Amino acid sequence: MTSPSLRRARFAELTPFEVYALCRLRVDVFVVEQECPYPELDGRDTEPATVHLWLESDGEVAATIRVLDDGATRAIGRVATAARFRGRGLAARLMHEGIALCQGPITLGAQAHLQGWYEQFGFRLSGPGYVEDGIPHVPMRREAS
């Protein structure tokens, strides 16, 4: 297995095969593995300012995130790692890359059990917890450094 290589693209730059692979990983993790039926395709992937980041190993998407433009802030979301690639720090690598793309504050909606993981990147709790699609979440924010 080769070392995963970093890929970055806006939606219009993605090939149909890349779109499929990114969506498949996200559905595998968020819908199937977490047993959470929800509308994965939310319309935000295709926004012109959205940046997709992923790590690819031997043609397979190992991990992915997306960076959204929310006006005054950026938002990082859809952080997912394929089961067989977990424990290698791939999501952390993508988080650092995503943060580097952002100027100004960054927000995210973290699954509550991952709050501590996001704190290592400078994110802090920014409001009360909430339940989204049956899973406890917390809003988090990272101020510009």
Side-chain angles (χ1 to χ4, degrees), residues 27-141:
V27 167
D28 284 351
V29 170
F30 299 126
V31 179
V32 178
E33 182 181 323
Q34 296 182 359
E35 299 178 354
C36 183
Y38 78 104
E40 168 52 30
L41 301 177
D42 61 0
R44 305 275 336 247
D45 291 311
T46 62
E47 293 174 0
T50 297
V51 177
H52 299 272
L53 296 167
W54 71 100
L55 290 165
E56 193 172 283
S57 178
D58 296 324
E60 181 181 356
V61 175
T64 185
I65 68 171
R66 71 178 182 186
V67 179
L68 304 173
D69 183 344
D70 282 344
T73 63
R74 298 294 177 267
I76 292 178
R78 298 299 201 267
V79 180
T81 302
R84 71 187 204 92
F85 289 97
R86 292 187 187 144
R88 302 181 193 184
L90 301 183
R93 182 175 163 198
L94 287 175
M95 286 297 296
H96 288 295
E97 294 287 343
I99 289 166
L101 291 178
C102 301
Q103 296 185 5
I106 308 167
T107 63
L108 58 81
Q111 290 187 7
H113 71 279
L114 294 171
Q115 178 180 338
W117 187 79
Y118 286 108
E119 286 174 346
Q120 71 180 313
F121 305 104
F123 287 89
R124 298 294 174 254
L125 191 64
S126 61
Y130 58 95
V131 175
E132 183 176 300
D133 299 312
I135 298 174
H137 283 71
V138 291
M140 300 189 79
R141 183 180 175 100

